[in-house]
Amino acid sequence: MAAPKIGSIAWIDLTVPDAENVRNFYQSVVGFNFAATNMGDYEDYTLTTPDEGKAIAGVCHARGMNASLPPQWLPYFMVASVTDSVMAVTASGGEVVSGPMEAGGGSSFCVVKDPAGACCALMGPT
């Protein structure tokens, strides 16, 4: 599978206090299946398409490193460099909410707010 292109949406997460309830909501309403991801003392979930089993999104508990994230769908935009993008966020009137944090495989991500207060995540090489 090809790596996501700069500017594309690489992933989308929803972080909420009760991930099981919200996971069940999207399973019932949309038809998603899910796979559990062990987070140590709890599980987060990957939503998958019912026909192909393709990973579509994550539903996460508002715990640990996700505790400060707002309860909204959070797109992860691909960037050329998370470090450079973090500097551009602050220089452009935005705010870093959390991170940068390692995402594995030589990549990292951070959550930011734009000048209007809307949140998104930036993902790419450090």
Side-chain angles (χ1 to χ4, degrees):
M1 180 166 82
K5 295 180 180 185
I6 304 304
S8 68
I9 296 176
W11 188 248
I12 186 166
D13 269 338
L14 177 60
T15 300
V16 293
D18 184 358
E20 287 91 0
N21 186 44
V22 172
R23 170 206 72 196
N24 293 341
F25 172 85
Y26 284 101
Q27 184 179 36
S28 175
V29 171
V30 179
F32 287 131
N33 291 322
F34 63 88
T37 302
N38 187 325
M39 301 301 290
D41 58 344
Y42 64 95
E43 292 180 330
D44 284 341
Y45 305 97
T46 300
L47 300 178
T48 61
T49 58
D51 54 350
E52 298 172 350
K54 180 181 177 188
I56 293 296
V59 175
C60 307
H61 289 281
R63 300 181 188 169
M65 69 180 191
N66 290 336
S68 65
L69 298 181
Q72 65 185 34
W73 282 105
L74 187 69
Y76 286 65
F77 296 113
M78 286 301 295
V79 296
S81 165
V82 171
T83 302
D84 292 347
S85 290
V86 164
M87 292 188 320
V89 164
T90 55
S92 300
E95 174 188 343
V96 177
V97 175
S98 66
M101 296 171 266
E102 290 299 314
S107 66
S108 61
F109 72 97
C110 64
V111 177
V112 301
K113 284 185 183 179
D114 67 22
C119 292
C120 68
L122 307 174
M123 179 175 241
T126 304

